[in-house]
Amino acid sequence: MHSTRRALSLLIWATLALLLSVLPSSVDARKKMLIYTYTQGFRHYSIPTATKVVQQLAKDAYPPIDTVHSEDPSDFERKDWLSQFDMLMFISVSGKALSDNGAEALRKYIEAGGGYLGVHEACDALYQHHWYGRLVGAYFNYHPQITHATLNVINHTHPSTAHLNETWHVFDEMYNYNSNPSKWGKQYLITADEDSYKDPVETKAERASEQGSPHPIAWWKEGNQLTYNPHLKVGGATDPTKAEIRAGTAGRGGAGRSFYTALGHTNAMWNDDAFQQHIMGAVEWLMGSPVLKSSSATPPENAVGSDYDPSAPTPSARRRPSSTDIAFSSHSTLVSGTPVPFSKSAISKSGASSLSLTLTLSSLAVLAATLSASLALLLSA
């Protein structure tokens, strides 16, 4: 009798321990992103809106992303401060956005594999640090007046463009650059149809001689973020100087990921569903870099980012809407009204999240049945 009760008691305790092990942790390890918006040159009125939108999108993401917003360049000078972040989002920073020490910290962060997302005027900053031009892809040259324009989406496999149609009609500034981003290995996702708007400043041939053709709008790169070829000159102030090379500040390597989009001038653009998905698709891709500390139990030495959590859910892949989905318009708000959103967070929470919930509930049902049977046997013994 006593041996039976003892065996059943042990079975109950073992079942309870297993039950607790499958319950979700009350504190989830989250990836972390810095939103940096300091300006020393032109300041976009849309920066407050952009910041709030990104913070909310990160909060609603699956899994949620922690954000820190800074407009203080001295934050970059704090010892190892940047190493906590999986990626940095520079939203329309301008001018000398960092001190020399802060820029050095940023360079070392990128060299350690940290992620970088530049938005809109982020290409109009840190001209005195030529490696930054290579990180972004090119420095800003000029833009004509804000305009209605047609963009060509030339890659639909990237999470930042998977939701878009072949063309995207926007009301934004069409940026032009001092050099060709593809010469630094940038892979184009979106280009501008230069016949869809007027640019009285330069001819097509002049623009092509500076930034190449087609006209780049959004691009990505993985690995070798700051690497340069001393025998190949790209121009546009992106090549390292002899002084930088001698001082060891020219920048090298950088196994992580970078992304840049020229869009994001207006409040309306930041409130546009298609643009929000464009931004969060880039964030999803950057957060998935395999060289981040959060991506592996055995990350590269000196890796940056949040701590690795093997139980953390993996963000669901983006998918294009099917014929059964709500119709989606890829037109910008100011062009054709507010589009019906094809929400990534809705997909995630009704897809990957519900799947894990179903599995957890199934496990709980089995364990509950086992526990009930054990209690029945114990009471009848």
Side-chain angles (χ1 to χ4, degrees), residues 217-244:
I217 293 295
W219 56 76
W220 63 271
K221 184 180 181 182
E222 182 159 18
N224 290 319
Q225 298 300 330
L226 308 183
T227 298
Y228 59 90
N229 183 344
H231 306 293
L232 175 65
K233 298 299 181 183
V234 172
T238 59
D239 301 298
T241 64
K242 292 181 179 179
E244 288 175 328

Side-chain angles (χ1 to χ4, degrees), residues 179-261:
S179 59
N180 187 337
S182 68
K183 290 187 176 181
W184 291 119
K186 305 300 183 180
Q187 305 296 311
Y188 295 167
L189 296 164
I190 301 173
T191 60
D193 178 356
E194 294 186 329
D195 291 327
S196 67
Y197 64 95
K198 294 181 179 180
D199 183 345
V201 181
E202 291 185 351
T203 65
K204 284 185 182 180
E206 289 172 332
R207 292 194 293 273
S209 68
E210 295 162 342
Q211 64 191 12
S213 181
H215 183 151
I217 293 295
W219 56 76
W220 63 271
K221 184 180 181 182
E222 182 159 18
N224 290 319
Q225 298 300 330
L226 308 183
T227 298
Y228 59 90
N229 183 344
H231 306 293
L232 175 65
K233 298 299 181 183
V234 172
T238 59
D239 301 298
T241 64
K242 292 181 179 179
E244 288 175 328
I245 295 173
R246 286 195 298 267
T249 60
R252 279 287 192 179
R257 294 176 173 179
S258 66
F259 187 99
Y260 173 80
T261 180

Side-chain angles (χ1 to χ4, degrees), residues 242-293:
K242 292 181 179 179
E244 288 175 328
I245 295 173
R246 286 195 298 267
T249 60
R252 279 287 192 179
R257 294 176 173 179
S258 66
F259 187 99
Y260 173 80
T261 180
L263 304 173
H265 177 73
T266 66
N267 285 330
M269 198 63 175
W270 281 99
N271 284 313
D272 181 74
D273 295 291
F275 181 65
Q276 289 179 5
Q277 291 183 65
H278 176 55
I279 291 294
M280 291 309 291
V283 170
E284 176 186 315
W285 178 73
L286 288 162
M287 290 290 191
S289 172
V291 301
L292 291 171
K293 187 165 65 172

Side-chain angles (χ1 to χ4, degrees), residues 299-315:
E301 187 178 359
N302 299 321
V304 297
S306 53
D307 292 332
Y308 174 67
D309 179 10
S311 65
T314 301

